[in-house]
Amino acid sequence: MLIREALAQGSADLKFADIKTPSLDASVLLAFLLKTNRTSLLTAGTETISEKICKKYCKLIERRSNGECVAYITGKKEFMGLEFTVNKYVLVPRPDTETLVEAAQQIIDSYISKYKPQSTQSITEKEGEKIKVLDLCTGSGAIAISLKHELPELEVYATDICPKALKIAKQNSQKLLGKNKIQFLHGDLFSVNSSPKKFSLIVSNPPYIPSAEIKTLSAEVQNEPLLALDGGESGLEIIERIINNAPDYLVKGGFLLLEAHPPLMENIKQSLAKRGFKDIQLYKDLSDSFRVIGGKYEE
């Protein structure tokens, strides 16, 4: 079979299965099997592929048709220009979450330039100390690793309640950063040992989908770990725990940044204000929805 014929058949099968991006997914999956990129694949349309590859390709198309996402099938996903290993124990990193990383970078850059000359109890902590960042519910480690990659001077910690997720995060960190660049801790949010008492910045993409809404999500999202999606009846169960406890782990002038469900933003804003956070800001994602919210704690 020719490459272009395989792509046409794969695309048709995915379209029949009501996959939103059939041509893209078909080409990504075949490029993965042939160990090439989509551009090279499309320019080699008249080349022949073996029967063995055809059979493997059909199986991948079937998996995709059944709602398994491309990232789980290939075992990788790009985020912030880095290629992360992913599997069924972690959420697939999404472009929306890049909003959280970019907001964190802005805050760190702003406070380094503003406070470092005086650094007493500012976000930069004591002069000569590294800025400490904590990533809660780290999953694949995408947020923590991206921040450390862009700002190597940070001292980064990351926690997750799922040991299998932490295993993937550690693998990604070693692959993308080298050994021992990030301290990964197993535990439920702040309930971990061997971490600093105070952080300059706490970031999190916690579970935030209301329980009743999960069954309305796409099949591919429903195949992702429920533990990383389900935010309880209101969607705020984990978020409220983070907001209530974060002040105990922030330096004076430290920040908390959260990714969350856009319809929940007003409730989260009120919770942050009630807990003593100031200068609360919201950040829009690529679809122009408010996806990230954060504030500064000074009390």
Side-chain angles (χ1 to χ4, degrees), residues 190-203:
F190 299 99
S191 301
V192 295
N193 297 319
S194 305
S195 66
K197 177 65 175 178
K198 301 287 185 178
F199 295 90
S200 309
L201 173 65
I202 297 172
V203 296

Side-chain angles (χ1 to χ4, degrees), residues 184-248:
F184 292 98
L185 306 168
H186 176 235
D188 182 9
L189 299 180
F190 299 99
S191 301
V192 295
N193 297 319
S194 305
S195 66
K197 177 65 175 178
K198 301 287 185 178
F199 295 90
S200 309
L201 173 65
I202 297 172
V203 296
S204 183
N205 176 16
Y208 58 71
I209 305 299
S211 300
E213 288 187 26
I214 290 177
K215 61 184 179 182
T216 70
L217 301 175
S218 66
E220 63 186 60
V221 176
Q222 291 190 54
N223 279 329
E224 296 188 55
L226 182 64
L227 183 65
L229 293 170
D230 193 344
E233 183 178 352
S234 66
L236 292 168
E237 183 177 306
I238 307 300
I239 288 173
E240 291 285 1
R241 287 177 57 201
I242 293 173
I243 291 172
N244 288 334
N245 288 284
D248 295 333

